[in-house]
Amino acid sequence: MTTVRCYVPLTPDQLARLRADRTLPGPLGGYAVTDALRADLPGGDADVWEHAALQHAARALVDAGAPVLIAAVDLTEERVDRTPTGGAGVGVGDVDLPRVAALHLGDDVVTGEPSAVEGQGEDVELSWYDTTEIAHVAELVEALRPTGQDENAPES
């Protein structure tokens, strides 16, 4: 059975659900090494392509003004929709916590300063966290919420 490493951008609420329920229902958007990504980086190798897919996920969050929080997930091929969307974009089925290999956080989450990812150029600086550190990651993400904001309150 072949697995595919997918980089799934998460919202703070999705992280909380993954932590509490140990699963996150799909479909979800993600990024992976695709034929289109390989074609964009023809001189690359597996490491270069994986880094590029991870950076696509990080850049999507930065561009959306969202905290940079990514789950690196190993899924079986049938749980990944590789329908060409251009670039590294893929669709991802359910994500179970045991399939999450790592969590990647941007400097905005690590430092608690939302502006820390601004002006980083093409590559977003990411820190790696093991899934056994999910409680700590949740604390870092929670610290980004404005004081007094109810997590269930609609965003303005």
Side-chain angles (χ1 to χ4, degrees):
M1 179 176 347
T2 304
T3 60
V4 178
R5 171 67 52 94
C6 297
Y7 299 98
V8 180
L10 299 176
T11 66
D13 290 338
Q14 288 173 321
L15 175 69
R17 184 165 186 182
L18 181 62
R19 180 180 177 210
D21 299 343
R22 298 182 54 82
T23 191
L24 191 58
L28 301 164
Y31 297 84
V33 175
T34 62
D35 290 339
L37 180 68
R38 286 185 192 98
D40 286 345
L41 300 167
D45 60 14
D47 290 336
V48 168
W49 296 325
E50 287 292 333
H51 177 77
L54 176 57
Q55 285 296 316
H56 278 284
R59 182 55 51 197
L61 289 166
V62 170
D63 291 348
V68 179
L69 173 60
I70 303 161
V73 186
D74 293 325
L75 298 171
T76 57
E77 283 191 34
E78 61 270 3
R79 292 177 69 183
V80 179
D81 179 6
R82 293 178 178 261
T83 304
T85 59
V90 295
V92 174
D94 297 348
V95 170
D96 300 317
L97 188 56
R99 302 301 302 174
V100 177
L103 297 166
H104 298 276
L105 281 62
D107 284 350
D108 56 334
V109 178
V110 174
T111 66
E113 288 293 327
S115 63
V117 292
E118 293 173 11
Q120 285 192 350
E122 269 186 49
D123 275 1
V124 177
E125 185 68 34
L126 298 168
S127 295
W128 180 94
Y129 288 81
D130 187 79
T131 56
T132 60
E133 299 174 283
I134 196 167
H136 177 63
V137 169
E139 289 172 4
L140 291 172
V141 170
E142 188 61 32
L144 287 176
R145 289 189 195 270
T147 306
Q149 180 180 338
D150 179 352
E151 70 182 44
N152 296 319
E155 293 183 26
S156 41

